[in-house]
Amino acid sequence: MSAVKLNLFAAWVSFALVLVSVVCLGGFLVAAGSGQGGWAVISGSLCVVALAGAMALYGGAVRHDHRLHHETPHLF
């Protein structure tokens, strides 16, 4: 897989994970506000996992670009 395709894949998947985390954060706030603790824990956990995955994927793409001696990551 070429570096451009890898960076494009990492960018779109990271973007999707950030969107998932925003939706999960909304679900967490609604569940916590309505007193449903179980759903709040599930939604909050998914939010944290999605954000961590997005940061790891983006960080991996940046590290890969630095290994290929690119000045800045070319994600989009």
Side-chain angles (χ1 to χ4, degrees), residues 17-40:
L17 285 172
V18 168
L19 291 178
V20 166
S21 69
V22 168
V23 170
C24 288
L25 180 61
F28 167 76
L29 291 173
V30 168
S34 63
Q36 298 178 356
W39 285 111

PDB file of all heavy atoms in Angstrom, residues 17-40:
ATOM      1  N   LEU A  17     -13.937   8.083  13.306  1.00  0.00           N
ATOM      2  CA  LEU A  17     -13.882   7.781  14.732  1.00  0.00           C
ATOM      3  C   LEU A  17     -14.169   9.011  15.588  1.00  0.00           C
ATOM      4  O   LEU A  17     -14.791   8.904  16.644  1.00  0.00           O
ATOM      5  CB  LEU A  17     -12.522   7.184  15.096  1.00  0.00           C
ATOM      6  CG  LEU A  17     -12.314   5.733  14.672  1.00  0.00           C
ATOM      7  CD1 LEU A  17     -10.864   5.315  14.918  1.00  0.00           C
ATOM      8  CD2 LEU A  17     -13.257   4.806  15.398  1.00  0.00           C
ATOM      9  N   VAL A  18     -13.725  10.167  15.142  1.00  0.00           N
ATOM     10  CA  VAL A  18     -14.039  11.403  15.875  1.00  0.00           C
ATOM     11  C   VAL A  18     -15.544  11.668  15.821  1.00  0.00           C
ATOM     12  O   VAL A  18     -16.153  12.064  16.822  1.00  0.00           O
ATOM     13  CB  VAL A  18     -13.230  12.595  15.322  1.00  0.00           C
ATOM     14  CG1 VAL A  18     -13.752  13.908  15.853  1.00  0.00           C
ATOM     15  CG2 VAL A  18     -11.766  12.422  15.666  1.00  0.00           C
ATOM     16  N   LEU A  19     -16.162  11.437  14.663  1.00  0.00           N
ATOM     17  CA  LEU A  19     -17.619  11.609  14.572  1.00  0.00           C
ATOM     18  C   LEU A  19     -18.351  10.626  15.476  1.00  0.00           C
ATOM     19  O   LEU A  19     -19.342  10.988  16.124  1.00  0.00           O
ATOM     20  CB  LEU A  19     -18.075  11.453  13.126  1.00  0.00           C
ATOM     21  CG  LEU A  19     -17.666  12.557  12.165  1.00  0.00           C
ATOM     22  CD1 LEU A  19     -18.158  12.242  10.756  1.00  0.00           C
ATOM     23  CD2 LEU A  19     -18.182  13.896  12.620  1.00  0.00           C
ATOM     24  N   VAL A  20     -17.886   9.394  15.526  1.00  0.00           N
ATOM     25  CA  VAL A  20     -18.482   8.389  16.418  1.00  0.00           C
ATOM     26  C   VAL A  20     -18.345   8.834  17.868  1.00  0.00           C
ATOM     27  O   VAL A  20     -19.285   8.699  18.667  1.00  0.00           O
ATOM     28  CB  VAL A  20     -17.835   7.005  16.189  1.00  0.00           C
ATOM     29  CG1 VAL A  20     -18.169   6.038  17.308  1.00  0.00           C
ATOM     30  CG2 VAL A  20     -18.262   6.438  14.853  1.00  0.00           C
ATOM     31  N   SER A  21     -17.191   9.391  18.216  1.00  0.00           N
ATOM     32  CA  SER A  21     -17.004   9.836  19.599  1.00  0.00           C
ATOM     33  C   SER A  21     -17.916  11.010  19.945  1.00  0.00           C
ATOM     34  O   SER A  21     -18.390  11.100  21.079  1.00  0.00           O
ATOM     35  CB  SER A  21     -15.542  10.203  19.851  1.00  0.00           C
ATOM     36  OG  SER A  21     -15.197  11.363  19.137  1.00  0.00           O
ATOM     37  N   VAL A  22     -18.193  11.889  18.986  1.00  0.00           N
ATOM     38  CA  VAL A  22     -19.119  13.002  19.241  1.00  0.00           C
ATOM     39  C   VAL A  22     -20.527  12.469  19.488  1.00  0.00           C
ATOM     40  O   VAL A  22     -21.226  12.922  20.408  1.00  0.00           O
ATOM     41  CB  VAL A  22     -19.086  14.012  18.077  1.00  0.00           C
ATOM     42  CG1 VAL A  22     -20.217  15.008  18.169  1.00  0.00           C
ATOM     43  CG2 VAL A  22     -17.747  14.732  18.032  1.00  0.00           C
ATOM     44  N   VAL A  23     -20.943  11.505  18.699  1.00  0.00           N
ATOM     45  CA  VAL A  23     -22.265  10.901  18.889  1.00  0.00           C
ATOM     46  C   VAL A  23     -22.333  10.184  20.232  1.00  0.00           C
ATOM     47  O   VAL A  23     -23.326  10.295  20.965  1.00  0.00           O
ATOM     48  CB  VAL A  23     -22.587   9.944  17.721  1.00  0.00           C
ATOM     49  CG1 VAL A  23     -23.822   9.115  18.010  1.00  0.00           C
ATOM     50  CG2 VAL A  23     -22.750  10.726  16.433  1.00  0.00           C
ATOM     51  N   CYS A  24     -21.272   9.465  20.582  1.00  0.00           N
ATOM     52  CA  CYS A  24     -21.249   8.767  21.867  1.00  0.00           C
ATOM     53  C   CYS A  24     -21.236   9.743  23.034  1.00  0.00           C
ATOM     54  O   CYS A  24     -21.833   9.465  24.084  1.00  0.00           O
ATOM     55  CB  CYS A  24     -20.036   7.847  21.944  1.00  0.00           C
ATOM     56  SG  CYS A  24     -20.162   6.391  20.911  1.00  0.00           S
ATOM     57  N   LEU A  25     -20.570  10.874  22.870  1.00  0.00           N
ATOM     58  CA  LEU A  25     -20.573  11.880  23.926  1.00  0.00           C
ATOM     59  C   LEU A  25     -21.979  12.425  24.141  1.00  0.00           C
ATOM     60  O   LEU A  25     -22.418  12.613  25.283  1.00  0.00           O
ATOM     61  CB  LEU A  25     -19.610  13.012  23.587  1.00  0.00           C
ATOM     62  CG  LEU A  25     -19.498  14.138  24.606  1.00  0.00           C
ATOM     63  CD1 LEU A  25     -18.989  13.606  25.938  1.00  0.00           C
ATOM     64  CD2 LEU A  25     -18.604  15.229  24.084  1.00  0.00           C
ATOM     65  N   GLY A  26     -22.702  12.646  23.049  1.00  0.00           N
ATOM     66  CA  GLY A  26     -24.094  13.070  23.169  1.00  0.00           C
ATOM     67  C   GLY A  26     -24.940  12.024  23.858  1.00  0.00           C
ATOM     68  O   GLY A  26     -25.767  12.345  24.722  1.00  0.00           O
ATOM     69  N   GLY A  27     -24.739  10.771  23.487  1.00  0.00           N
ATOM     70  CA  GLY A  27     -25.461   9.686  24.152  1.00  0.00           C
ATOM     71  C   GLY A  27     -25.116   9.585  25.626  1.00  0.00           C
ATOM     72  O   GLY A  27     -25.986   9.316  26.467  1.00  0.00           O
ATOM     73  N   PHE A  28     -23.851   9.817  25.941  1.00  0.00           N
ATOM     74  CA  PHE A  28     -23.438   9.797  27.345  1.00  0.00           C
ATOM     75  C   PHE A  28     -24.128  10.896  28.143  1.00  0.00           C
ATOM     76  O   PHE A  28     -24.625  10.659  29.245  1.00  0.00           O
ATOM     77  CB  PHE A  28     -21.920   9.958  27.439  1.00  0.00           C
ATOM     78  CG  PHE A  28     -21.433  10.253  28.826  1.00  0.00           C
ATOM     79  CD1 PHE A  28     -21.363   9.245  29.775  1.00  0.00           C
ATOM     80  CD2 PHE A  28     -21.042  11.529  29.184  1.00  0.00           C
ATOM     81  CE1 PHE A  28     -20.923   9.514  31.063  1.00  0.00           C
ATOM     82  CE2 PHE A  28     -20.601  11.810  30.458  1.00  0.00           C
ATOM     83  CZ  PHE A  28     -20.542  10.793  31.404  1.00  0.00           C
ATOM     84  N   LEU A  29     -24.164  12.093  27.583  1.00  0.00           N
ATOM     85  CA  LEU A  29     -24.780  13.213  28.296  1.00  0.00           C
ATOM     86  C   LEU A  29     -26.281  12.999  28.497  1.00  0.00           C
ATOM     87  O   LEU A  29     -26.824  13.298  29.566  1.00  0.00           O
ATOM     88  CB  LEU A  29     -24.525  14.518  27.548  1.00  0.00           C
ATOM     89  CG  LEU A  29     -23.073  14.993  27.545  1.00  0.00           C
ATOM     90  CD1 LEU A  29     -22.913  16.187  26.634  1.00  0.00           C
ATOM     91  CD2 LEU A  29     -22.604  15.291  28.947  1.00  0.00           C
ATOM     92  N   VAL A  30     -26.949  12.465  27.474  1.00  0.00           N
ATOM     93  CA  VAL A  30     -28.387  12.202  27.595  1.00  0.00           C
ATOM     94  C   VAL A  30     -28.643  11.095  28.614  1.00  0.00           C
ATOM     95  O   VAL A  30     -29.539  11.208  29.466  1.00  0.00           O
ATOM     96  CB  VAL A  30     -28.985  11.851  26.219  1.00  0.00           C
ATOM     97  CG1 VAL A  30     -30.391  11.297  26.362  1.00  0.00           C
ATOM     98  CG2 VAL A  30     -28.979  13.064  25.321  1.00  0.00           C
ATOM     99  N   ALA A  31     -27.850  10.033  28.541  1.00  0.00           N
ATOM    100  CA  ALA A  31     -28.049   8.921  29.470  1.00  0.00           C
ATOM    101  C   ALA A  31     -27.742   9.330  30.911  1.00  0.00           C
ATOM    102  O   ALA A  31     -28.466   8.956  31.832  1.00  0.00           O
ATOM    103  CB  ALA A  31     -27.178   7.736  29.065  1.00  0.00           C
ATOM    104  N   ALA A  32     -26.684  10.088  31.089  1.00  0.00           N
ATOM    105  CA  ALA A  32     -26.336  10.522  32.443  1.00  0.00           C
ATOM    106  C   ALA A  32     -27.378  11.501  32.989  1.00  0.00           C
ATOM    107  O   ALA A  32     -27.719  11.456  34.177  1.00  0.00           O
ATOM    108  CB  ALA A  32     -24.958  11.171  32.450  1.00  0.00           C
ATOM    109  N   GLY A  33     -27.901  12.358  32.129  1.00  0.00           N
ATOM    110  CA  GLY A  33     -28.910  13.319  32.568  1.00  0.00           C
ATOM    111  C   GLY A  33     -30.238  12.681  32.900  1.00  0.00           C
ATOM    112  O   GLY A  33     -30.987  13.190  33.733  1.00  0.00           O
ATOM    113  N   SER A  34     -30.546  11.565  32.252  1.00  0.00           N
ATOM    114  CA  SER A  34     -31.830  10.917  32.506  1.00  0.00           C
ATOM    115  C   SER A  34     -31.731   9.823  33.576  1.00  0.00           C
ATOM    116  O   SER A  34     -32.710   9.146  33.860  1.00  0.00           O
ATOM    117  CB  SER A  34     -32.390  10.325  31.214  1.00  0.00           C
ATOM    118  OG  SER A  34     -31.533   9.309  30.729  1.00  0.00           O
ATOM    119  N   GLY A  35     -30.546   9.638  34.149  1.00  0.00           N
ATOM    120  CA  GLY A  35     -30.396   8.703  35.253  1.00  0.00           C
ATOM    121  C   GLY A  35     -30.159   7.263  34.855  1.00  0.00           C
ATOM    122  O   GLY A  35     -30.324   6.370  35.675  1.00  0.00           O
ATOM    123  N   GLN A  36     -29.789   7.011  33.635  1.00  0.00           N
ATOM    124  CA  GLN A  36     -29.525   5.639  33.185  1.00  0.00           C
ATOM    125  C   GLN A  36     -28.012   5.396  33.214  1.00  0.00           C
ATOM    126  O   GLN A  36     -27.306   5.605  32.231  1.00  0.00           O
ATOM    127  CB  GLN A  36     -30.089   5.425  31.793  1.00  0.00           C
ATOM    128  CG  GLN A  36     -31.587   5.595  31.747  1.00  0.00           C
ATOM    129  CD  GLN A  36     -32.140   5.424  30.359  1.00  0.00           C
ATOM    130  OE1 GLN A  36     -31.409   5.251  29.401  1.00  0.00           O
ATOM    131  NE2 GLN A  36     -33.451   5.478  30.250  1.00  0.00           N
ATOM    132  N   GLY A  37     -27.542   4.951  34.359  1.00  0.00           N
ATOM    133  CA  GLY A  37     -26.110   4.808  34.583  1.00  0.00           C
ATOM    134  C   GLY A  37     -25.433   3.790  33.698  1.00  0.00           C
ATOM    135  O   GLY A  37     -24.295   3.995  33.260  1.00  0.00           O
ATOM    136  N   GLY A  38     -26.096   2.690  33.428  1.00  0.00           N
ATOM    137  CA  GLY A  38     -25.503   1.645  32.596  1.00  0.00           C
ATOM    138  C   GLY A  38     -25.222   2.115  31.183  1.00  0.00           C
ATOM    139  O   GLY A  38     -24.131   1.883  30.626  1.00  0.00           O
ATOM    140  N   TRP A  39     -26.199   2.786  30.591  1.00  0.00           N
ATOM    141  CA  TRP A  39     -26.012   3.302  29.235  1.00  0.00           C
ATOM    142  C   TRP A  39     -24.982   4.420  29.208  1.00  0.00           C
ATOM    143  O   TRP A  39     -24.244   4.583  28.226  1.00  0.00           O
ATOM    144  CB  TRP A  39     -27.330   3.789  28.652  1.00  0.00           C
ATOM    145  CG  TRP A  39     -28.221   2.668  28.253  1.00  0.00           C
ATOM    146  CD1 TRP A  39     -29.387   2.308  28.858  1.00  0.00           C
ATOM    147  CD2 TRP A  39     -28.019   1.742  27.180  1.00  0.00           C
ATOM    148  NE1 TRP A  39     -29.917   1.215  28.227  1.00  0.00           N
ATOM    149  CE2 TRP A  39     -29.098   0.849  27.191  1.00  0.00           C
ATOM    150  CE3 TRP A  39     -27.027   1.578  26.236  1.00  0.00           C
ATOM    151  CZ2 TRP A  39     -29.205  -0.196  26.283  1.00  0.00           C
ATOM    152  CZ3 TRP A  39     -27.136   0.542  25.326  1.00  0.00           C
ATOM    153  CH2 TRP A  39     -28.216  -0.332  25.355  1.00  0.00           C
ATOM    154  N   ALA A  40     -24.918   5.193  30.283  1.00  0.00           N
ATOM    155  CA  ALA A  40     -23.921   6.262  30.358  1.00  0.00           C
ATOM    156  C   ALA A  40     -22.511   5.678  30.377  1.00  0.00           C
ATOM    157  O   ALA A  40     -21.609   6.197  29.710  1.00  0.00           O
ATOM    158  CB  ALA A  40     -24.155   7.124  31.589  1.00  0.00           C
TER     159      ALA A  40
END
